[in-house]
Amino acid sequence: MLLMGMLDQQLVVSFPDIPGSEVIVPMDRTGMILNADVPEGYTDAAQSALMGDHQPMIEILRPIAEPLIPFLQVPEPQTNIHALCLQYYKALILGGQTASAVELSKAIPFDTTSSEFTTLASQLVFTCIREEQYVGAELMLSLLLRALPQEEFVEIAFPAADALRTAGQHELCLEIYGSLIDSDNPVIQRRSLLWAGYSSSVGGDPAQARAILSELDEPDREDENFVVYCLARGRTGLEQGDLRECMHYLSRAMVLTPVEQSYKPELYYLLLRGYRETGQTEASSLLQREFQVFYPDSPWLAKSLQESKTNPMEQTL
């Protein structure tokens, strides 16, 4: 049988030896196998991709993979389409064709494809942010919000918001937190409120941040949201000139936040500001040296060095 297309989420197939014949087949029909021919040169293109050149893979798979994206709804064990489309999607992202990858993502049914597609989509979010393609990042986050369980989405959304805040995209950060504020999960809902308050301070509206935080009781130290609460209170205090509150909460957050946490560089930056504004020169110098050891390429370090008018070479150990 030959695949002719789709109709009402079912496959339309024909029999080559019976002209004009067409049959409607459910996508998950037992025993059905749907195979696309692997294009000539695929092995060589795969080898080039392993060497970092993804263009050959893009060129040979584009005419095959793009029309087949809608058929990813066919269960993976029944077809090789998933493998071909995955390689094409990966080649677009790693090959620097970010806009094309975002456009392709609109047609990918992330709720039915494997976690490998989701992993690539998550990578694409951060690629968009790094390349300052914020409309693309917003679109990708919207697609993933609709397709993924909320507990999986937040693992992408919160680090993405950290990266967007670093890039100064405060409105988009608030959109991310706003999409989660009505969560049925109280931990996610509370964390979203805390980050919304924090982002309000960063975006120049500490009064709004204070209003949000005033509605929340301080969580226990064992609470998952305790560090975020400390960070939000510390940032709000810093923006409103309450240095005692600032240093109290930022110091607690610094101690409890692991180095691998995505907002840790921002925390270093804030605590350094607090040290300088309270005249703690020696503590500031020591913390900045530590900052350079852990995050030498962080934009927050560059911002800290610029604000302190310090020569980076003087800060190396």
Side-chain angles (χ1 to χ4, degrees):
M1 293 185 290
L2 296 177
L3 178 64
M4 305 300 293
M6 290 178 63
L7 179 65
D8 296 329
Q9 301 302 305
Q10 298 188 85
L11 303 178
V12 179
V13 300
S14 70
F15 297 89
D17 55 346
I18 306 177
S21 64
E22 290 188 350
V23 177
I24 304 298
V25 180
M27 286 193 182
D28 57 354
R29 178 176 176 177
T30 302
M32 182 192 70
I33 300 297
L34 177 63
N35 280 326
D37 291 336
V38 177
E40 183 178 352
Y42 179 84
T43 301
D44 291 339
Q47 185 63 37
S48 295
L50 289 174
M51 302 298 291
D53 180 7
H54 300 278
Q55 192 59 34
M57 184 67 79
I58 293 171
E59 290 176 358
I60 69 166
L61 284 184
R62 177 177 281 126
I64 297 173
E66 290 197 357
L68 290 177
I69 289 293
F71 297 98
L72 287 172
Q73 296 178 60
V74 176
E76 186 173 3
Q78 296 176 221
T79 179
N80 68 342
I81 288 175
H82 286 253
L84 292 174
C85 290
L86 180 68
Q87 290 304 314
Y88 179 59
Y89 192 41
K90 182 178 181 179
L92 287 176
I93 295 171
L94 298 183
Q97 297 197 21
T98 304
S100 296
V102 170
E103 187 64 26
L104 189 74
S105 300
K106 296 178 184 179
I108 297 176
F110 290 106
D111 54 340
T112 59
T113 52
S114 69
S115 60
E116 293 174 284
F117 279 94
T118 304
T119 298
L120 287 172
S122 173
Q123 183 177 343
L124 183 55
V125 170
F126 292 94
T127 299
C128 287
I129 296 171
R130 186 172 62 253
E131 296 179 358
E132 300 183 358
Q133 297 189 33
Y134 302 119
V135 173
E138 184 176 14
L139 173 61
M140 291 304 305
L141 287 166
S142 177
L143 291 173
L144 293 173
L145 173 64
R146 293 197 298 267
L148 300 180
Q150 197 171 75
E151 289 72 15
E152 292 183 26
F153 176 70
V154 298
E155 295 300 319
I156 301 169
F158 284 127
D162 293 337
L164 287 163
R165 192 169 53 253
T166 300
Q169 299 297 305
H170 306 303
E171 290 186 9
L172 187 47
C173 284
L174 287 172
E175 285 184 27
I176 292 172
Y177 302 135
S179 71
L180 296 169
I181 282 176
D182 294 328
S183 171
D184 294 332
N185 184 320
V187 174
I188 294 175
Q189 182 188 50
R190 189 179 179 89
R191 184 171 300 172
S192 300
L193 280 169
L194 288 169
W195 276 118
Y198 180 84
S199 286
S200 295
S201 282
V202 177
D205 193 354
Q208 180 179 336
R210 184 71 68 185
I212 293 173
L213 293 173
S214 67
E215 298 178 5
L216 302 170
D217 296 327
E218 181 170 325
D220 296 331
R221 186 184 176 94
E222 294 75 23
D223 192 298
E224 291 183 53
N225 289 323
F226 178 72
V227 172
V228 182
Y229 178 85
C230 290
L231 187 58
R233 283 289 301 270
R235 183 65 193 249
T236 304
L238 180 63
E239 296 301 324
Q240 292 187 319
D242 188 339
L243 295 179
R244 182 176 180 180
E245 178 186 40
C246 164
M247 298 306 294
H248 173 72
Y249 283 103
L250 290 182
S251 297
R252 297 170 82 182
M254 176 62 76
V255 170
L256 296 172
T257 303
V259 172
E260 63 271 14
Q261 184 58 258
S262 58
Y263 56 79
K264 183 79 170 189
E266 189 172 0
L267 182 51
Y268 268 100
Y269 164 77
L270 294 173
L271 193 56
L272 279 166
R273 275 187 57 186
Y275 277 142
R276 290 175 188 136
E277 294 189 25
T278 54
Q280 301 182 60
T281 306
E282 184 176 352
S284 173
S285 178
L286 289 172
L287 188 64
Q288 188 148 284
R289 291 180 184 178
E290 182 181 310
F291 194 2
Q292 284 189 274
V293 170
F294 288 115
Y295 308 101
D297 301 319
S298 170
W300 291 108
L301 174 62
K303 184 176 177 64
S304 179
L305 291 169
Q306 182 180 15
E307 290 179 0
S308 65
K309 298 180 181 179
T310 302
N311 187 332
M313 293 301 294
E314 296 175 358
Q315 293 297 314
T316 56
L317 295 177

